Amino acid sequence: MTERAPEFRSLWERNDVRGKTHEAKTFHHNAVGDLTLSYHAFDVRGTADQQLIIYQAEPNSRSAEALKLLGLLSTVHH
């Protein structure tokens, strides 16, 4: 791509790349099935290459109910 696309080559050479800071991801858990969780990533001040990543389910969604069930299951198994 660096040979065929001058704009891409310029961006690649600058190495000015940032990761996504928020998005939804789907996970599969054997006990509760699929969960779709939104995440937000925050840079941690004063540290190099560290982030705080927070996942959450939409309120009242199937994924929120699955997270509650996982919480209950974790108390039963301990």
Side-chain angles (χ1 to χ4, degrees):
M1 292 220 23
T2 58
E3 293 179 13
R4 295 185 197 166
E7 183 180 7
F8 177 83
R9 181 175 50 250
S10 173
L11 292 170
W12 187 260
E13 289 171 354
R14 281 191 358 220
N15 196 24
D16 187 18
V17 179
R18 294 183 57 194
K20 292 182 180 181
T21 58
H22 60 280
E23 188 175 46
K25 289 186 177 184
T26 300
F27 301 90
H28 180 79
H29 190 282
N30 288 335
V32 297
D34 290 341
L35 299 109
T36 300
L37 306 174
S38 298
Y39 78 86
H40 291 272
F42 302 92
D43 291 332
V44 177
R45 290 184 186 165
T47 62
D49 301 323
Q50 290 188 11
Q51 290 185 317
L52 170 65
I53 301 175
I54 300 171
Y55 286 90
Q56 65 185 31
E58 281 292 318
N60 303 315
S61 67
R62 191 222 164 278
S63 294
E65 294 302 316
L67 285 177
K68 287 180 189 175
L69 180 56
L70 279 175
L72 291 172
L73 290 174
S74 70
T75 60
V76 171
H77 293 293
H78 286 106

